[in-house]
Amino acid sequence: MYFESFASLIHMDGHGMYVWPTYGIGLLIIAYNIISPLRARKRIVAQIQRQVRGSQSRSKSFSQNNSLSQKKSFSHKKSHSPAADHQPGATDDLSEKKKAAGPRVKVSTKNQGVREGEVE
Amino acid sequence: MNWTFFHKLGSPKWFYEISGKWLPWLAILAALLMASGLIWGLMFTPPDYLQGNSYRIIFLHVPTAFLAQAIYVMMACAGVVTLVWKMKLADMALKCCAPIGASFCLLALVTGAIWGKPTWGTWWVWDARLTSMLILLFLYMGVIALRGAIRNTNTAAKACAILTLVGVINIPIIKFSVQWWNTLHQGATLKLTEKPSMAPEMLWPLLISIAAFYLFFTVVLILRLRTEILDRERRTKWVHKIVAAGAGN
């Protein structure tokens, strides 16, 4: 080491008061650059997890309701569908309703297929 | 020429997979280099015969100032790729580079100001090098703000690419400011064409910390890019699979 003692390393012949704060600020910037993307990642992953779970629970409730009558299944489904995020699954609801207006058996298999594919 | 590698590079899924493999190694290397470069510079090099110990700020100041400019040039290149080939990954890179570049630019300005006090006797002068560097910080902030102001992803990509390209004129101004104008800032210590005007025991830690900061930039850029990819590709099955497999590395 160039410096003889810890005290002289801190003091640096009077320049320590400039050098050490500089390195402190440098450390802060480095920490920001590491922490900020990690936190963003956590947030985004949680969002996507919610979104996937949302579409899973919707598909579950849909398959359960297939045993009930058509009208009931719609009202039931509405109350159970997670209201939160706007995502592709949410817009699919409309098309499902349209399809569901057709023959019952055909519709249920079709929709299940779509759901499973999306959740996979 | 075979262009498949170029299209592969533009695929977010491919980049996500390959960068996951590189990331830990790059991070370890960056940490080792940064620790050794900075500790060497702080504790083991002799003081400068003119500036004394205050010159030790160079080991932070020069790498971050280099990077602040290099990142901007990289953003401009990404801007060209965005405008010409409409590559998704290029726009993501442009977006992710901006906050990193801005933080390095700020650090270069702050370390320079602190270094200026014992060396020039003032924190700040409106001199060509310092002012053009401040403009670079404003350009970074402009790009970040512009993206925040435009909701549509494609429009934001185009607008940011154009703004970045217009701003790139500032880079040669920063580089040659110490030659064109009479400034307080000292000339370049490191030149590609000449032997460095620095003693080797000071030069080595400087080169190591420059390499360390470039690697550090690569690591944090990959971190940001991977998050951005997950965000933009959140409707795809492969992202759902990664998220389902637990936070997804």
Side-chain angles (χ1 to χ4, degrees):
Chain A
M1 193 158 96
Y2 170 78
F3 298 96
E4 285 146 19
S5 64
F6 185 71
S8 72
L9 173 67
I10 297 300
H11 189 247
M12 284 194 177
D13 302 325
H15 283 154
M17 58 183 283
Y18 301 109
V19 174
W20 291 111
T22 308
Y23 277 80
I25 296 165
L27 221 63
L28 278 182
I29 297 275
I30 288 169
Y32 157 77
N33 273 309
I34 297 171
I35 293 167
S36 148
L38 289 181
R39 283 184 62 180
R41 185 188 176 81
K42 243 187 192 169
R43 202 186 61 231
I44 299 286
V45 166
Q47 265 179 21
I48 300 172
Q49 269 170 345
R50 262 204 308 277
Q51 175 190 322
V52 173
R53 244 181 269 137
S55 62
Q56 260 172 348
S57 69
R58 241 200 312 280
S59 78
K60 243 186 203 168
S61 73
F62 195 86
S63 55
Q64 278 170 2
N65 292 332
N66 278 336
S67 56
L68 301 169
S69 76
Q70 198 92 54
K71 262 190 180 174
K72 260 187 180 173
S73 90
F74 279 141
S75 58
H76 190 236
K77 190 172 159 270
K78 250 185 188 171
S79 62
H80 272 251
S81 66
D85 25 14
H86 283 282
Q87 36 118 2
T91 50
D92 282 350
D93 281 353
L94 274 178
S95 56
E96 263 162 26
K97 276 181 191 173
K98 271 183 196 165
K99 282 179 202 161
R104 199 178 290 175
V105 183
K106 201 179 170 189
V107 166
S108 64
T109 51
K110 211 178 182 181
N111 281 331
Q112 269 177 351
V114 170
R115 279 302 172 198
E116 276 161 17
E118 199 184 300
V119 169
E120 198 179 41
Chain B
M1 196 179 156
N2 189 1
W3 283 94
T4 45
F5 86 96
F6 196 59
H7 293 288
K8 247 185 173 178
L9 202 67
S11 146
K13 183 173 184 252
W14 178 82
F15 181 85
Y16 192 92
E17 283 162 0
I18 200 88
S19 65
K21 286 174 197 154
W22 293 345
L23 196 58
W25 301 107
L26 286 172
I28 291 168
L29 195 61
L32 284 178
L33 280 179
M34 193 172 291
S36 51
L38 293 185
I39 290 173
W40 188 353
L42 265 176
M43 296 180 185
F44 294 94
T45 57
D48 186 67
Y49 77 104
L50 264 181
Q51 300 184 7
N53 282 311
S54 70
Y55 95 98
R56 292 180 200 280
I57 293 172
I58 202 174
F59 303 109
L60 264 186
H61 179 73
V62 167
T64 48
F66 271 11
L67 261 177
Q69 295 168 67
I71 294 172
Y72 198 90
V73 174
M74 191 184 149
M75 279 167 63
C77 296
V80 172
V81 176
T82 306
L83 289 176
V84 177
W85 290 285
K86 314 220 164 16
M87 213 179 251
K88 271 196 258 177
L89 201 60
D91 178 53
M92 293 184 202
L94 206 158
K95 182 184 177 185
C96 295
C97 276
I100 309 171
S103 71
F104 283 152
C105 191
L106 181 70
L107 185 58
L109 281 167
V110 171
T111 53
I114 299 177
W115 195 3
K117 187 65 185 164
T119 314
W120 305 333
T122 176
W123 302 102
W124 183 264
V125 276
W126 291 101
D127 131 317
R129 172 60 69 86
L130 280 67
T131 310
S132 54
M133 207 61 190
L134 186 65
I135 290 172
L136 182 66
L137 180 63
F138 291 155
L139 280 171
Y140 273 123
M141 288 174 164
V143 175
I144 295 170
L146 186 63
R147 190 172 298 268
I150 303 174
R151 266 226 144 142
N152 183 295
T153 318
N154 291 332
T155 320
K158 257 188 213 164
C160 289
I162 291 168
L163 178 62
T164 316
L165 282 172
V166 171
V168 87
I169 185 68
N170 191 37
I171 297 296
I173 295 179
I174 297 175
K175 168 121 184 55
F176 295 111
S177 58
V178 286
Q179 296 167 26
W180 291 345
W181 294 287
N182 189 12
T183 78
L184 262 183
H185 197 284
Q186 65 199 60
T189 313
L190 299 172
K191 283 178 193 154
L192 284 176
T193 47
E194 290 167 36
K195 246 183 127 181
S197 59
M198 218 180 173
E201 58 263 54
M202 297 172 179
L203 184 65
W204 275 109
L206 181 59
L207 292 178
I208 290 174
S209 46
I210 290 171
F213 270 91
Y214 269 85
L215 267 173
F216 176 73
F217 162 66
T218 314
V219 169
V220 290
L221 176 64
I222 288 177
L223 275 180
R224 274 179 197 269
L225 261 175
R226 286 163 66 80
T227 306
E228 186 68 22
I229 288 172
L230 288 186
D231 191 12
R232 290 203 201 180
E233 304 283 305
R234 60 166 66 196
R235 295 178 181 185
T236 59
K237 277 184 198 170
W238 72 270
V239 168
H240 290 187
K241 258 185 198 162
I242 283 171
V243 170
N249 291 309

